[in-house]
Amino acid sequence: MPELSQDAARVRAPLPFGVAEVTGPSMVPTLHHGDRLLVHYGARVRRGDVIVLRHPFQQDLLVVKRAAERRGGGWWVLGDNAYAGGDSTDYGVVPDELVLGRVRFRYRPRSTARRSPPALLVWLLTSVRPVLSDRSASRRLRAR
């Protein structure tokens, strides 16, 4: 199940940051289809972080999931939407070498249909948010 658009590949730059676009529902309510992500490539991953990784069976596909816990040289990853699937419950532990980076911020693109000053103000106040570590995914894992 794709989570990032195909044009989200990392571009070599002096800073290890890149932008990716979310496709699919597996990280709802944290991330929504169409959200843009600021990814810190090579960042240290901790339990609860939202991360970008290569799909274990289709490595040209990038996905975004939450790192739930360490298991045997890799990460057990889960989507925040338990009904969407496409996480470690389907493909097991993701090796460390497939984990690319940590998501730092998400922003929603501005709708061209709403151009009024109040709509612009609401967009400015709500479009950019940090993506913080949330322990809810690891709690859900223990509940299974």
Side-chain angles (χ1 to χ4, degrees):
M1 220 177 243
E3 284 300 319
L4 298 178
S5 64
Q6 292 298 325
D7 60 345
R10 179 179 175 195
V11 177
R12 297 247 182 239
L15 295 176
F17 291 96
V19 177
E21 180 180 350
V22 176
T23 60
S26 76
M27 288 300 291
V28 170
T30 306
L31 304 172
H32 297 274
H33 181 80
D35 284 353
R36 306 298 197 280
L37 307 175
L38 178 65
V39 181
H40 184 183
Y41 290 102
R44 190 180 97 160
V45 175
R46 295 176 305 207
R47 190 175 80 176
D49 288 343
V50 176
I51 60 174
V52 173
L53 55 117
R54 293 192 182 282
H55 192 284
F57 301 140
Q58 191 178 356
Q59 293 185 7
D60 60 335
L61 179 65
L62 300 179
V63 294
V64 60
K65 299 292 177 193
R66 189 172 300 277
E69 67 181 26
R70 295 284 297 170
R71 287 191 184 178
W75 285 98
W76 186 265
V77 297
L78 294 173
D80 286 356
N81 182 351
Y83 301 107
D87 54 22
S88 285
T89 57
D90 295 330
Y91 47 74
V93 174
V94 176
D96 287 328
E97 57 269 11
L98 297 182
V99 176
L100 301 178
R102 180 177 168 194
V103 175
R104 298 293 185 170
F105 290 93
R106 73 107 179 118
Y107 66 95
R108 293 192 174 127
R110 189 167 68 97
S111 171
T112 57
R114 297 181 178 172
R115 296 184 182 184
S116 69
L120 179 60
L121 181 62
V122 168
W123 176 79
L124 284 172
L125 294 174
T126 63
S127 67
V128 178
R129 291 190 184 157
V131 177
L132 303 174
S133 296
D134 180 14
R135 306 294 182 215
S136 64
S138 57
R139 275 188 252 123
R140 185 168 60 86
L141 175 65
R142 287 191 295 271
R144 285 187 178 179

